[in-house]
Amino acid sequence: MKHLLLFSALFFLSVSSLFASPVIRTPQPSGEPRINGPSVIGVTPGNSFLYKIPVSGDSPIRITVTNLPAGVTLRNGFVLEGRIDRAGDYPVTVTASNAYASVSRTLTVKAGNEIALTPPMGWNSWYSFSESVSDAKIRAVADAFVSRKLIDYGWSYVNIDDCWQGERLKEAPYTLTGNEKFPDMKALCDYVHSKGLKIGIYHSPWIGTYAGFRGGSSDSETGTDPSYAEIPSKRLQPGQIFGRYPGVHARNADRVGKYWLFDDDLKTIADWGFDYIKVDWHPNDVPTAQKMYNGVRNSGRDIVLSFSNKAFLKDIPELSKYANLWRTGGDITDMWISLSAISRDLPNWFPFTRSGKYSDPDMLQVGNLGKPNTPSETFRPTGFSREEQYFQISLWVIAAAPLILSCDVSSLDDFTTGLLTNTEVLAVHQSYPVLPPRLRKQTLTTQIMTRETEKGTAVCVLNYSALKKKVTVPFREWGIGTQASSADSTGTAAVRDLWRQQNLPADRITDDGFTVEVAGHSGELFLIN
């Protein structure tokens, strides 16, 4: 019996070690200033813009900017804002100084036809507050972005998902208003902007939204609620006129109505000051997409346009003309089966990725999450293991997918903070120009993907097995790292481990490439230069 107990204990320990949580890979940041974020931002001539220069390091840090274009100022010492009237490239020099050092970098403001020249980074309310989202909660998230210093690493969007919609105005143009939880949308936008952040919102071209609120079209010219809406006494919230999902389908509100009110709504949304809009309907048909694109372009404001729910791959050559982002699948969950399915499919979308155009596999499932499709008020840890969180972020970074959090930002622990503030990982994500990733090698248990960046070739190695695996990256075979500028005096390319922020020892790099050990359900990122 004792031997059986001993064997059981040893077996438990050996199995547990396979799934043990890893140490935080990202080293502690140095106190020296570092200028983060992209080297280029895109703006539309004549439209106002705002850009918080993300700088990390020990405070106090002084930021100076020289060669500012006409019409642009530096607010509060760290926010570029204003408008540029003429198209063109406007390089400015940004310098950050503290007690340790002074660093400089060129930031180019490109005034032209494209915005979101690198993938968006931010937060969305759906997996945290869901139906309980409110003005006060959005302000609190903006505050947390600053206090938790996410803003210093380029995390810039705070986005409201579904459940904000109230009634329509009783007189033309019959636009939507915020509900009782959002009494003053313009004041909310102004507050978020005052922090140096941007703000996003949700809408749908349908009569109703997935959560049962009013959408951007109607069978009535004035937007009057249809007869099939839920009677007021039975509504879960005053504005939730079609009931909780799947009520929008059951009540025949999952369609574009006879009267298109979306453009007038969009003008109001632009006047409020929103910078990003997630538009949710299915299927993402091209005619409707084009109408919404034209509405955004005519709104007088730079607004990132994100299409949701799942697009069809066959439609992307045409659909991608009208969006900055498009969803590649249904809603993600914090379960391995969801993550692995999404990641196996994602390389099919790689050819359509470029600056200003991104495939969106949905939100990051890290940190403490709420419960979607409910008035969520409490949080619990993500169902992803720590290794699975490395897997997700490594893949999203190599894919140039938008990095959108949906967790409780106020309760970030050291592990999650390390995930979200690794400057070398984020530099790959924000590299400009954004070039299409490539799936280099795939087996039943592994994938290797690459993407060219400003500093070299980024490599992502994924392990689908629950057990550790050794994976060889034959980058010489792929013609990577063979240029003279990419090699040291011995002709050996440098391979940087981005999560651990250290170079691989030269003796681990051979004429064929290098071999890495990847934990079960995990991902690794490297840079070859």
Side-chain angles (χ1 to χ4, degrees):
M1 183 66 177
K2 289 181 180 178
H3 289 91
L4 179 60
L5 291 173
L6 178 60
F7 175 81
S8 299
L10 291 172
F11 177 80
F12 175 79
L13 288 172
S14 63
V15 172
S16 297
S17 66
L18 295 175
F19 300 97
S21 296
V23 296
I24 298 172
R25 298 181 195 174
T26 301
Q28 288 295 313
S30 76
E32 295 184 358
R34 180 183 175 109
I35 302 171
N36 302 308
S39 61
V40 175
I41 59 173
V43 303
T44 302
N47 287 357
S48 62
F49 75 93
L50 172 152
Y51 177 72
K52 193 275 181 186
I53 300 171
V55 176
S56 56
D58 285 359
S59 298
I61 300 176
R62 181 171 180 265
I63 298 173
T64 58
V65 181
T66 58
N67 200 33
L68 278 174
V72 180
T73 60
L74 184 67
R75 172 168 59 86
N76 294 339
F78 57 83
V79 179
L80 293 178
E81 65 179 5
R83 61 171 46 88
I84 296 174
D85 292 329
R86 291 187 176 183
D89 291 355
Y90 298 85
V92 301
T93 300
V94 178
T95 301
S97 306
N98 68 4
Y100 293 96
S102 179
V103 295
S104 295
R105 179 180 174 187
T106 298
L107 173 67
T108 300
V109 182
K110 294 181 75 71
N113 294 323
E114 291 282 2
I115 61 173
L117 295 179
T118 58
M121 296 171 56
W123 176 94
N124 177 285
S125 63
W126 186 247
Y127 287 92
S128 51
F129 304 123
S130 195
E131 292 180 7
S132 73
V133 66
S134 68
D135 176 291
K137 290 175 179 176
I138 295 299
R139 289 173 188 251
V141 171
D143 292 344
F145 259 56
V146 176
S147 64
R148 294 285 176 161
K149 300 188 181 299
L150 292 182
I151 192 173
D152 297 336
Y153 293 85
W155 299 90
S156 55
Y157 288 95
V158 176
N159 295 344
I160 306 165
D161 207 282
D162 207 344
C163 310
W164 64 268
Q165 304 90 329
E167 295 184 352
R168 289 194 170 276
L169 296 177
K170 303 303 182 185
E171 298 179 354
Y174 311 112
T175 53
L176 268 177
T177 63
N179 59 33
E180 67 282 358
K181 296 180 298 180
F182 290 94
D184 190 335
M185 282 294 200
K186 187 177 188 312
L188 175 59
C189 291
D190 289 345
Y191 182 84
V192 173
H193 291 156
S194 75
K195 301 290 182 178
L197 295 163
K198 299 179 182 180
I199 184 168
I201 200 167
Y202 171 104
H203 207 3
S204 175
W206 282 350
I207 295 172
T209 70
Y210 278 93
F213 290 77
R214 295 173 180 87
S217 65
S218 176
D219 284 336
S220 162
E221 185 176 7
T222 62
T224 304
D225 293 347
S227 60
Y228 48 82
E230 183 72 88
I231 62 173
S233 62
K234 292 188 176 181
R235 294 175 187 175
L236 299 171
Q237 296 186 48
Q240 203 166 7
I241 66 171
F242 300 113
R244 183 170 291 155
Y245 182 85
V248 67
H249 302 306
R251 294 178 181 274
N252 194 35
D254 55 347
R255 58 185 173 85
V256 177
K258 180 179 178 182
Y259 294 94
W260 183 255
L261 306 175
F262 189 94
D263 286 352
D264 287 329
D265 289 345
L266 192 57
K267 289 178 182 177
T268 297
I269 285 168
D271 289 343
W272 285 337
F274 282 96
D275 311 289
Y276 184 118
I277 186 167
K278 172 183 172 181
V279 186
D280 204 1
W281 86 112
H282 184 75
N284 295 165
D285 64 291
V286 172
T288 302
Q290 186 174 12
K291 288 174 70 174
M292 293 186 293
Y293 168 82
N294 290 335
V296 167
R297 298 286 286 192
N298 294 327
S299 71
R301 187 169 184 83
D302 282 356
I303 299 176
V304 173
L305 180 55
S306 171
F307 288 165
S308 182
N309 207 300
K310 175 180 172 58
F312 292 124
L313 186 61
K314 65 179 179 61
D315 293 333
I316 295 304
E318 189 68 17
L319 193 70
S320 62
K321 297 177 183 178
Y322 306 115
N324 299 110
L325 326 170
W326 50 85
R327 279 277 293 279
T328 65
D331 288 359
I332 193 172
T333 66
D334 57 331
M335 298 174 63
W336 171 248
I337 190 172
S338 174
L339 177 59
S340 58
I342 288 171
S343 59
R344 286 291 194 185
D345 175 61
L346 191 54
N348 295 319
W349 304 76
F350 284 176
F352 306 103
T353 297
R354 65 172 178 83
S355 292
K357 305 289 182 180
Y358 311 105
S359 296
D360 177 10
D362 209 5
M363 293 174 236
L364 298 177
Q365 300 293 289
V366 303
N368 294 320
L369 304 173
K371 187 176 181 180
N373 294 301
T374 68
S376 181
E377 298 286 355
T378 59
F379 305 97
R380 46 86 185 168
T382 175
F384 285 167
S385 69
R386 288 186 170 186
E387 296 295 4
E388 288 163 356
Q389 293 174 66
Y390 281 120
F391 183 108
Q392 185 184 22
I393 294 182
S394 297
L395 175 59
W396 266 233
V397 165
I398 204 73
L403 297 181
I404 305 297
L405 304 167
S406 197
C407 58
D408 176 32
V409 181
S410 66
S411 65
L412 292 179
D413 59 13
D414 289 344
F415 171 78
T416 311
T417 300
L419 278 176
L420 305 180
T421 59
N422 184 309
T423 55
E424 296 188 23
V425 169
L426 295 179
V428 167
H429 184 256
Q430 291 294 298
S431 178
Y432 178 85
V434 177
L435 300 176
R438 293 180 63 181
L439 175 61
R440 293 285 189 168
K441 188 175 182 180
Q442 179 171 257
T443 70
L444 288 175
T445 57
T446 62
Q447 280 183 329
I448 305 175
M449 289 157 280
T450 65
R451 179 159 62 92
E452 298 303 317
T453 76
E454 294 172 272
K455 299 278 182 76
T457 303
V459 180
C460 174
V461 184
L462 301 178
N463 179 10
Y464 287 83
S465 168
L467 305 177
K468 291 181 182 178
K469 291 192 70 69
K470 286 187 177 180
V471 182
T472 297
V473 180
F475 63 86
R476 301 290 193 189
E477 177 185 320
W478 302 331
I480 296 171
T482 57
Q483 301 86 355
S485 61
S486 300
D488 62 19
S489 59
T490 66
T492 301
V495 179
R496 182 76 169 172
D497 181 332
L498 297 179
W499 279 117
R500 296 167 185 82
Q501 296 187 1
Q502 60 188 19
N503 288 347
L504 292 187
D507 60 6
R508 287 186 56 188
I509 306 169
T510 69
D511 290 340
D512 298 321
F514 65 93
T515 298
V516 59
E517 188 173 73
V518 187
H521 289 188
S522 194
E524 298 283 358
L525 280 172
F526 302 92
L527 186 68
I528 301 173
N529 54 30

